[in-house]
Amino acid sequence: DIQMTQSPSSLSASVGDRVTITCRASHSISNYLHWYQQKPGKAPTLLIYAASSLDSGVPSRFSGSGSGTDFTLTISSLQPEDFATYYCQQSYTAPPFTFGPGTKVGIK
Amino acid sequence: MQLVESGGGVVQAGRSLRLSCAASGFTFSSYGMHWVRQAPGKGLEWVAVMWYDGRKESYTDSVKGRFTISRDNSKNMLYLQMNSLRAEDTAVYYCARDQVVYGDYRDYYYGMAVWGQGTTVTVSS
């Protein structure tokens, strides 16, 4: 099975900062890579699918890039509502649908 | 569009529990459906999927032979029968809907677009 890793596991940032989160797959997954946001006590929500396509209603400050094994999620200007944990997930070998371990974005 | 899970609770190790997920606001029979769980303080773990028409299902290795996913498209319901529960099955269990209809998971460029609020399962040893 394909393994997913994310870095960093956590970060602290200020409102207005540019934030970049990395996701790496153990084998090439083309662009079958999706990003989710989860706030404490809430269900995850889909942000980006197919590595770079924004889901409906997702603010344009979120963007995704990458292909193969290395992917990034970028928040161009961090807003107060963006403090959350972010997960990547692959669907190249689905099933299984493997999630990364998550990156927690906290307030500096 | 809404998914509402129920059936969670506290159960002794080795016992069984059945989770339910009620769907509304979309054509349930057109979408593949998943169960995803999250242990306390941990990340997301995909558990199982059932194809939109119920013809196929798949599980993560740790639940194979113990959990069974099923659906009733006439009732817009998804289920997860959990047998031989272990302490490590303790988690919040979410049901989630595919992003697009008729997913066959070959060349599947899509994620899970609708999630329920989750139901908590605690397995006591």
Side-chain angles (χ1 to χ4, degrees), chain B residues 45-87:
Chain B
E45 180 186 23
W46 174 79
V47 174
V49 63
M50 175 153 271
W51 269 240
Y52 64 95
D53 56 2
R55 76 183 188 278
K56 288 177 68 174
E57 61 206 69
S58 183
Y59 302 90
T60 192
D61 285 346
S62 63
V63 308
K64 282 180 183 175
R66 300 189 300 123
F67 289 13
T68 302
I69 188 173
S70 62
R71 65 190 296 161
D72 185 338
N73 284 348
S74 68
K75 296 181 179 179
N76 293 345
M77 294 293 296
L78 178 74
Y79 304 100
L80 185 67
Q81 178 66 43
M82 304 185 294
N83 298 332
S84 303
L85 282 161
R86 306 167 180 168

Side-chain angles (χ1 to χ4, degrees), chain A residues 31-32 34 36 38 43 49 91, chain B residues 38 99 107-109 112 116:
Chain A
N31 64 334
Y32 293 69
H34 322 295
Y36 298 83
Q38 187 181 33
Y49 64 97
S91 59
Chain B
Q38 187 168 35
Q99 185 175 1
D107 293 325
Y108 191 72
Y109 286 93
M112 302 172 197

Side-chain angles (χ1 to χ4, degrees), chain B residues 5-23:
Chain B
E5 302 93 335
S6 60
V10 180
V11 61
Q12 285 186 322
R15 305 296 290 268
S16 299
L17 206 59
R18 189 198 198 200
L19 305 183
S20 300
C21 171

